[in-house]
């Protein structure tokens, strides 16, 4: 019986990099679950790799077909951005283990959909000052930096990932990505091996 290892954490905590590096560790043999979003694609992102980038019309069609497992909408300065997970024939929980990336709320919905025994949380922590520095550095690389949206995400994370919400979601283990990403990666890989 397969499992989904679900990476989550506040913005600029290094989730995307950790996600890619864990997938590249062939000994873990994890397959990606790629989320969908209606937000604009960022510099250095590829459709079907970080996300499936779709229109709001495609989202509506998938909802009508009953394919959307969980959906989050963020009211950004550029308008509403939707992120969602869809039930797909590409996910074979009987034969494979998967790696997914999302928020605390999306983790809870995926856990409820597939079952708590099949979805393992991987919560990444980074000190707020360091996260803000990383977010600024990333935003400066965009063709048109959007500092208002960066700040909105940063502040929203304080509420979304409150200690109360983390406890309510049943998150017991945390992985620090403050100083040495390799140490964090090794701890995550060992934890995944223990849970397989």
């Amino acid at each position: 019986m397969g499992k989904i290892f679900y990476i989550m954490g506040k913005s600029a905590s290094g989730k995307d990099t950790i996600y890619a590096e864990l997938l590249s560790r062939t000994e873990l043999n994890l397959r990606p679950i790629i989320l969908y979003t209606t937000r604009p694609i960022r510099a250095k992102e590829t459709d079907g790799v970080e996300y499936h980038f779709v229109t709001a019309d495609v989202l509506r069609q998938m909802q009508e077909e009953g394919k959307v497992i969980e959906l989050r909408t963020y009211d950004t300065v550029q308008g509403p951005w939707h992120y969602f997970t869809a039930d797909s024939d590409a996910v074979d929980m009987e034969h494979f283990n998967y790696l997914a990336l999302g928020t605390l709320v999306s983790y809870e919905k995926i856990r409820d959909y597939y079952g708590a025994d099949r979805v393992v949380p991987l919560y990444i922590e980074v000190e707020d000052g360091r996260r803000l520095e990383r977010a600024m550095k990333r935003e400066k690389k965009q063709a048109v930096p959007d500092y208002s949206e960066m700040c909105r995400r940063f502040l929203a994370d304080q509420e979304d990932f409150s200690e109360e919400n983390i406890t309510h979601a049943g998150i017991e283990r945390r992985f620090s990505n403050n100083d040495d990403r390799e140490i964090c990666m090794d701890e995550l890989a060992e934890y995944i091996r223990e849970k397989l």
Side-chain angles (χ1 to χ4, degrees):
M1 176 169 54
K3 292 189 177 181
I4 297 172
F5 294 91
Y6 206 87
I7 298 173
M8 70 199 101
K10 296 176 181 176
S11 60
S13 60
K15 300 181 301 292
D16 292 331
T17 301
I18 286 169
Y19 176 81
E21 288 190 23
L22 284 174
L23 283 175
S24 73
R25 292 196 177 199
T26 55
E27 75 277 9
L28 297 176
N29 199 27
L30 298 172
R31 294 179 174 218
I33 292 180
I34 300 169
L35 303 181
Y36 294 76
T37 185
T38 62
R39 78 154 165 78
I41 193 168
R42 293 179 183 150
K44 298 188 179 181
E45 288 182 327
T46 304
D47 185 35
V49 177
E50 290 82 10
Y51 293 96
H52 295 291
F53 293 92
V54 298
T55 64
D57 289 338
V58 169
L59 167 58
R60 276 190 292 281
Q61 180 182 349
M62 292 177 81
Q63 285 177 303
E64 289 169 6
E65 295 170 356
K67 293 183 177 179
V68 176
I69 297 171
E70 61 85 24
L71 167 67
R72 295 153 274 137
T73 301
Y74 299 99
D75 292 319
T76 76
V77 294
Q78 296 181 17
W81 289 354
H82 308 286
Y83 293 80
F84 61 101
T85 307
D87 197 346
S88 165
D89 294 336
V91 177
D92 179 359
M93 293 291 290
E94 294 306 314
H95 299 98
F96 301 105
N97 296 299
Y98 292 88
L99 190 66
L101 178 65
T103 66
L104 193 58
V105 171
S106 66
Y107 157 71
E108 290 179 297
K109 290 183 179 180
I110 295 296
R111 178 199 63 202
D112 294 346
Y113 185 83
Y114 286 105
D117 59 328
R118 299 183 104 175
V119 183
V120 179
L122 304 175
Y123 182 69
I124 311 301
E125 284 190 319
V126 173
E127 185 271 326
D128 284 345
R130 185 158 295 163
R131 279 194 318 107
L132 191 54
E133 289 172 6
R134 290 177 183 176
M136 285 289 293
K137 185 177 179 182
R138 179 176 69 189
E139 201 60 37
K140 284 180 182 180
K141 293 179 182 177
Q142 300 304 310
V144 180
D146 188 346
Y147 298 110
S148 296
E149 174 57 20
M150 182 202 76
C151 291
R152 184 206 62 78
R153 285 194 313 267
F154 188 86
L155 294 173
D157 281 343
Q158 297 304 103
E159 183 176 329
D160 294 345
F161 288 95
S162 69
E163 285 301 317
E164 179 181 347
N165 289 345
I166 291 169
T167 300
H168 181 265
I171 306 295
E172 297 175 357
R173 179 78 190 267
R174 301 172 190 217
F175 299 89
S176 172
N177 190 27
N178 279 310
D179 299 313
D180 190 329
R181 190 173 70 240
E182 280 306 310
I183 291 173
C184 181
M185 292 299 305
D186 289 342
E187 289 176 355
L188 283 160
E190 178 60 30
Y191 186 71
I192 289 168
R193 282 191 290 270
E194 289 172 8
K195 296 293 183 180
L196 288 175

